Amino acid sequence: MDTEALGIPLTQEEQYRLLLHVCYEHASTSNHPSTHNAALLVRDGTVVLRGVNRLPLGVRELPERFEGENKHKYPNHAERDAIYGAARKGIQTESLTMVMPWLPCIPCANAIITAGIRTLIVHRQMIEKTSDRWKEELAAAVGLLQEAGVSLFAYDGTVGTKSYMHDQWWDA
């Protein structure tokens, strides 16, 4: 996918490289078998909460919950895991920044908008690796975020770590 064609401005700000590095490192804690993704909630440059693709706390990791279409139904995506974690801990999300490697799906975009998150930082190089099968949904999610006034920026550059997504390792 092309971030520029989606109207997402590029940035090379060092703070975003550092935050994405933290994000990729935290993604390794995901219990999702094929997509290790993370999202950070950030206030004034400080990470206040982290989320990963995983089953909700207290839910057993049964293999069938990660197979076929179930792997998109049972686990929370990292964005929602972070937002739900903030609600559980009483952390206000209004006006926070979210940092994550990929673009959100439509349900996660809705959660970001509803939570009042005002800025989303993604990673251009990871978005370019996204399968074309997600292109339509992710473009629609970007449109929702832009319509709701969420500022989107794509960090352009390597962040100095590895990423495991869709059963493949990549330099991030």
Side-chain angles (χ1 to χ4, degrees):
M1 292 194 63
D2 183 354
T3 53
E4 291 178 273
L6 291 169
I8 302 172
L10 301 178
T11 181
Q12 291 186 321
E13 289 189 42
E14 178 67 4
Q15 66 174 332
Y16 299 141
R17 185 191 71 76
L18 295 172
L19 287 166
L20 279 163
H21 185 91
V22 169
C23 196
Y24 281 112
E25 293 293 315
H26 187 63
S28 68
T29 68
S30 170
N31 65 6
H32 197 285
S34 68
T35 306
H36 293 189
N37 194 21
L40 308 177
L41 288 174
V42 179
R43 179 183 295 119
D44 300 324
T46 301
V47 176
V48 295
L49 200 92
R50 303 166 192 221
V52 295
N53 285 10
R54 67 174 171 190
L55 292 168
L57 296 174
V59 173
R60 292 181 311 203
E61 293 182 34
L62 303 175
E64 61 268 19
R65 291 179 174 161
F66 293 108
E67 294 171 356
E69 283 304 307
N70 284 344
K71 72 180 180 179
H72 299 294
K73 294 177 184 175
Y74 283 88
N76 282 321
H77 287 181
E79 303 93 303
R80 285 178 276 152
D81 186 51
I83 292 167
Y84 298 158
R88 186 178 191 149
K89 294 180 179 193
I91 297 171
Q92 186 173 347
T93 55
E94 184 76 32
S95 300
L96 292 183
T97 294
M98 181 173 277
V99 177
M100 54 187 264
W102 279 357
L103 291 169
C105 64
I106 290 173
C108 288
N110 287 338
I112 290 165
I113 293 163
T114 303
I117 293 165
R118 303 310 306 155
T119 305
L120 178 62
I121 308 299
V122 295
H123 190 195
R124 177 180 174 220
Q125 282 70 19
M126 187 53 67
I127 292 166
E128 288 176 351
K129 294 177 183 345
T130 301
S131 168
D132 284 344
R133 76 183 193 129
W134 299 110
K135 189 181 245 182
E136 189 176 320
E137 179 175 356
L138 298 180
V142 167
L144 290 173
L145 292 162
Q146 290 169 334
E147 181 180 336
V150 176
S151 298
L152 280 87
F153 298 94
Y155 177 77
D156 184 17
T158 59
V159 298
T161 191
K162 294 268 189 196
S163 174
Y164 181 75
M165 295 190 191
H166 295 296
D167 300 323
Q168 297 178 20
W169 282 99
W170 290 312
D171 288 326

